[in-house]
Amino acid sequence: MRLRNLILDDKFRLIVSLIVLILSFFQIKILMFDLAWIAVILCGFPIIINALKGLITRFDIKAGVLVSIALIASLIIGEIFAAGEIAFIMVLGEALENYSIAKSKSGIEKLVKLSPRTARIITNGEEKVIPAENVKVQDLIKVFPGETIPVDGIIVEGESTIDESIMTGEPIPVDKLEKDEVFSGTLNQYGSFIMKARKLGKDSSLQRMISLVKSTDVDKSKIVRLADKWTTWFVAIAFTLAIATFVITGDIIRFVTVLVVFCPCAFVLATPTAIVSAIGNLTKYGILIKDGDALEKLSEVKKIIFDKTGTLTYGKPELIDVITYNDYDKNELCRIVASLENKSEHPLGKAIVDFYYNLSNQSLLEVTNFQMKIGKGVIGEVKDKIILAGNKRLLKENNISIPDEEEKTISKYIKNGSTVIYVSINGEFAGYLILSDQLRTDSKELILQIKNKKLEPILVTGDNEKSANYIGKELAIEKVFSNSLPESKMDIIDDYKQKNQNVAMIGDGVNDAPALKKSYVGIAMGGIGSDIAIEAADIVLVGDDVGNIPQLLGLSIKTMSKIKWNIIFSLIFNFIAVVLAMLGVLNPITGAIAHNIGSVFVVTNSAILLFWKNKK
């Protein structure tokens, strides 16, 4: 079994065949037969067998049929080297194509692992843990901090803060109160609550997302090899010309030579060599091409949909400013709040602590009587002063008012999509901290270059309308879709598809996976992106550098141009070689060498793509 696998391995066959062909060409005798026979057996016989199978079972006329005819004809007249060389070139082209078209995975298994397996239901006042699939509509379910919500439902008692990033892609947890909806697969962070089940099984949010990822597989049809599309014509023309040559001249050598030079090796190499060179180029920019067809598809795209969080922004909240009131010291206020938030696990609190450590070398202050108010904020004593840091609800419950003159400024920040943490000291309003998910430094330049390439950028995000519109305005993106869940993103892509408009999607989260698969080309952020998004995509930005997207877009167009020129050259070269073969200028050996020169030209021309660089 190991020997059989080794013989079938492309790399082994190519290395051995190349060595024996070189020895055969220089007529170096090691064994009692022409060493080119080894290349014929390793590379040629599998081609003949597969061509016969396809022809007999499906009447499938592909490039292998014409290659097989040329191989057999060469062997009949004793031109073993010509047969081996043809077989080697064809296997090389097939190996390059197999390398360039890596099979992408669906990531469905990882989505399934996110599905909660158990649920804690309440029946007649008693709690009981049961399999999640046994939950029924209207069942009461208790969810503790740190647990994944098992089904879709509505909170009937309690309140909490829930990480919904799996559904919306947004990094900041959402506060939930009674009568608020909660979704399966999302993570309960702090408070415990009782919910009533509303949507189960395939109807739940997470299961619908899994179904979306599965269903989009059928839309990812592979582009048929150009050589296979045109092989029927190649076979017909080659036979016609070869037979005509034999009828006119009566020369069997010319008949075989026509078949040899008509063998479409350069034509077959035109596409995979260009794609492999482009893949090599993009690797230097931290771009991984998972699907060779992606470059061809990307060259046909006219619109690019961007997810916001983690794609155009860094995907995490950052403290951007500290505003004080009544002459409180800015650095001191930041230190007090950071000391308080250091006892919290909330992402906003962590962002404040990180900001302070980057700002100052001073240690944090001691905090006593710390309390975390779910969905509101934190309370504690620092330097014998009672500190409150949280949202408006926290201040309102403690009868602390916000000055009218500050409300106007605060509303501007909120309108821009920022989050505001209000602070009071000993019952008096002391100021507020502004946190925001910041734009990537190269996002503006990226959008400008995309527009310069006559492509339309579109923003689709799970974030709220104010935040989405603010980002759209900052980046000069005219079309903005907010509050978009996975199904919404799919619907947007479907709308464009129905208008025959090819769309590329760039995203990073689990919630982007269905859209990445549904889009004509899916591009995932590899560094911060989820494994599921990466596996759903055709292309991965390994280093999360969106600034390299113009290189990707430009190279996709350049690659398709290179492929077209390769094809045109190979057709013209083959035509000239056929004419020379018909006139008797070329024999099977010189014909094989000439036809090899065409293949070398195509490979060399494609290799130029390795050094191509996008111009702004």
Side-chain angles (χ1 to χ4, degrees):
M1 182 63 72
R2 287 184 179 179
L3 179 61
R4 181 175 180 273
N5 291 338
L6 181 64
I7 292 173
L8 293 176
D9 180 68
D10 284 345
K11 188 182 294 185
F12 172 79
R13 290 192 294 160
L14 288 170
I15 292 173
V16 173
S17 296
L18 178 61
I19 292 171
V20 297
L21 284 173
I22 292 172
L23 294 174
S24 175
F25 181 78
F26 290 105
Q27 298 183 344
I28 297 173
K29 299 289 184 180
I30 297 177
L31 301 173
M32 299 300 292
F33 56 87
D34 190 331
L35 293 176
W37 269 108
I38 297 175
V40 172
I41 294 170
L42 289 177
C43 297
F45 282 9
I47 293 173
I48 295 172
I49 292 169
N50 289 332
L52 282 173
K53 282 182 180 178
L55 197 60
I56 294 170
T57 59
R58 303 184 301 275
F59 198 67
D60 194 6
I61 301 176
K62 291 186 177 180
V65 174
L66 184 53
V67 173
S68 299
I69 294 169
L71 280 171
I72 294 169
S74 298
L75 292 174
I76 289 173
I77 63 169
E79 297 294 349
I80 312 303
F81 175 81
E85 183 268 345
I86 291 170
F88 173 79
I89 290 293
M90 291 305 297
V91 172
L92 176 63
E94 186 178 334
L96 286 172
E97 187 170 34
N98 289 337
Y99 172 78
S100 66
I101 306 177
K103 292 181 179 179
S104 61
K105 300 176 183 178
S106 67
I108 293 173
E109 288 183 6
K110 290 190 177 181
L111 271 176
V112 171
K113 287 179 182 178
L114 293 176
S115 304
R117 297 187 179 184
T118 60
R120 187 181 292 98
I121 64 168
I122 301 175
T123 306
N124 298 323
E126 293 185 1
E127 296 179 15
K128 182 181 178 182
V129 177
I130 65 171
E133 60 265 25
N134 292 343
V135 174
K136 299 176 182 177
V137 175
Q138 299 298 320
D139 274 354
L140 294 178
I141 302 169
K142 190 163 188 177
V143 183
F144 287 116
E147 292 184 341
T148 301
I149 297 172
V151 297
D152 289 10
I154 188 169
I155 295 178
V156 295
E157 183 181 319
E159 54 188 36
S160 184
T161 301
I162 295 176
D163 179 358
E164 293 187 338
S165 59
I166 188 175
M167 299 302 299
T168 66
E170 299 308 310
I172 300 175
V174 181
D175 295 333
K176 296 285 185 175
L177 306 174
E178 286 186 19
K179 298 184 181 180
D180 283 343
E181 279 189 297
V182 290
F183 306 101
S184 63
T186 57
L187 180 65
N188 181 33
Q189 290 197 316
Y190 303 117
S192 61
F193 59 86
I194 297 173
M195 60 175 285
K196 182 180 289 185
R198 297 180 66 183
K199 293 180 181 178
L200 314 174
K202 65 180 182 180
D203 295 323
S204 69
S205 303
L206 183 60
Q207 293 302 320
R208 282 204 311 270
M209 186 157 63
I210 293 173
S211 298
L212 291 174
V213 174
K214 286 181 178 178
S215 66
T216 52
D217 279 335
V218 296
D219 295 333
K220 291 288 187 180
S221 59
K222 299 294 183 185
I223 297 174
V224 181
R225 288 171 54 186
L226 286 172
D228 290 338
K229 284 183 181 181
W230 295 96
T231 295
T232 303
W233 290 102
F234 269 109
V235 172
I237 295 170
F239 260 116
T240 300
L241 293 176
I243 292 171
T245 301
F246 180 71
V247 170
I248 295 170
T249 65
D251 188 345
I252 189 65
I253 299 297
R254 293 193 192 187
F255 172 82
V256 173
T257 305
V258 170
L259 292 177
V260 169
V261 298
F262 218 108
C263 186
C265 289
F267 190 78
V268 170
L269 288 170
T271 300
T273 54
I275 290 176
V276 168
S277 295
I279 288 172
N281 178 306
L282 293 171
T283 300
K284 296 182 292 186
Y285 292 88
I287 300 173
L288 172 64
I289 306 297
K290 293 177 56 186
D291 190 329
D293 291 340
L295 287 174
E296 184 167 354
K297 291 179 179 179
L298 193 60
S299 68
E300 301 168 2
V301 161
K302 296 300 178 186
K303 299 178 186 295
I304 300 182
I305 291 179
F306 288 92
D307 173 52
K308 178 183 78 70
T309 307
T311 304
L312 294 174
T313 68
Y314 286 105
K316 60 180 182 179
E318 292 182 14
L319 181 60
I320 59 174
D321 206 353
V322 178
I323 311 296
T324 61
Y325 186 72
N326 276 348
D327 298 326
Y328 279 104
D329 181 75
K330 185 174 183 177
N331 291 338
E332 184 63 14
L333 184 66
C334 184
R335 186 185 185 193
I336 290 171
V337 177
S339 300
L340 193 61
E341 293 287 4
N342 193 42
K343 291 186 172 292
S344 165
E345 291 298 318
H346 199 285
L348 296 179
K350 290 180 179 179
I352 294 170
V353 174
D354 290 343
F355 178 87
Y356 177 75
Y357 276 133
N358 291 329
L359 177 73
S360 173
N361 292 324
Q362 285 185 296
S363 61
L364 295 174
L365 301 167
E366 184 181 351
V367 177
T368 57
N369 298 323
F370 176 81
Q371 300 176 57
M372 185 166 184
K373 300 293 184 179
I374 303 300
K376 300 168 189 173
V378 291
I379 300 175
E381 289 186 28
V382 180
K383 289 184 175 181
D384 297 324
K385 296 178 180 178
I386 299 175
I387 312 298
L388 278 69
N391 56 25
K392 276 188 177 181
R393 287 174 57 210
L394 182 64
L395 266 63
K396 186 176 182 181
E397 286 182 3
N398 289 273
N399 299 315
I400 299 168
S401 60
I402 301 169
D404 292 340
E405 61 268 26
E406 294 298 323
E407 285 278 22
K408 293 180 181 179
T409 306
I410 292 169
S411 64
K412 291 180 182 178
Y413 284 114
I414 295 174
K415 192 175 182 181
N416 292 342
S418 298
T419 300
V420 178
I421 302 294
Y422 301 90
V423 184
S424 75
I425 299 177
N426 283 338
E428 292 184 356
F429 181 74
Y432 49 96
L433 285 69
I434 310 299
L435 294 99
S436 180
D437 183 9
Q438 295 295 288
L439 279 174
R440 290 179 178 270
T441 53
D442 43 11
S443 289
K444 287 186 178 181
E445 177 64 23
L446 165 64
I447 299 302
L448 179 61
Q449 288 200 49
I450 283 176
K451 287 185 173 181
N452 289 341
K453 293 181 183 297
K454 309 300 181 186
L455 300 173
E456 181 184 7
I458 300 168
L459 178 61
V460 179
T461 175
D463 208 347
N464 61 70
E465 185 177 356
K466 289 181 179 179
S467 180
N469 288 336
Y470 172 73
I471 295 295
K473 186 177 179 181
E474 283 289 296
L475 297 176
I477 298 176
E478 295 176 6
K479 282 192 178 177
V480 177
F481 296 87
S482 59
N483 297 309
S484 298
L485 294 175
E487 286 179 276
S488 308
K489 294 179 181 180
M490 294 274 286
D491 290 340
I492 292 167
I493 292 172
D494 264 334
D495 287 342
Y496 285 117
K497 187 174 286 188
Q498 289 172 10
K499 298 173 185 175
N500 294 319
Q501 296 178 352
N502 296 328
V503 177
M505 167 78 188
I506 304 178
D508 72 297
V510 174
N511 63 302
D512 295 320
L516 288 170
K517 292 205 65 127
K518 185 73 172 178
S519 60
Y520 197 58
V521 181
I523 304 173
M525 307 291 283
I528 62 169
S530 73
D531 290 343
I532 294 165
I534 291 169
E535 291 184 0
D538 305 299
I539 300 171
V540 179
L541 303 180
V542 178
D544 285 340
D545 190 350
V546 293
N548 287 328
I549 290 177
Q551 171 74 13
L552 171 63
L553 295 171
L555 188 60
S556 68
I557 295 171
K558 188 69 177 178
T559 301
M560 292 309 109
S561 174
K562 187 71 70 176
I563 289 172
K564 289 173 184 176
W565 280 109
N566 281 347
I567 290 171
I568 291 171
F569 166 80
S570 64
L571 291 175
I572 294 174
F573 188 86
N574 268 30
F575 174 76
I576 294 171
V578 166
V579 172
L580 294 176
M582 293 174 69
L583 295 174
V585 176
L586 298 177
N587 58 39
I589 291 292
T590 55
I593 293 172
H595 137 286
N596 199 19
I597 291 172
S599 300
V600 170
F601 175 85
V602 165
V603 172
T604 304
N605 189 41
S606 295
I608 296 172
L609 289 171
L610 284 166
F611 310 100
W612 187 86
K613 190 172 183 179
N614 180 66
K615 294 180 181 179
K616 295 183 179 182

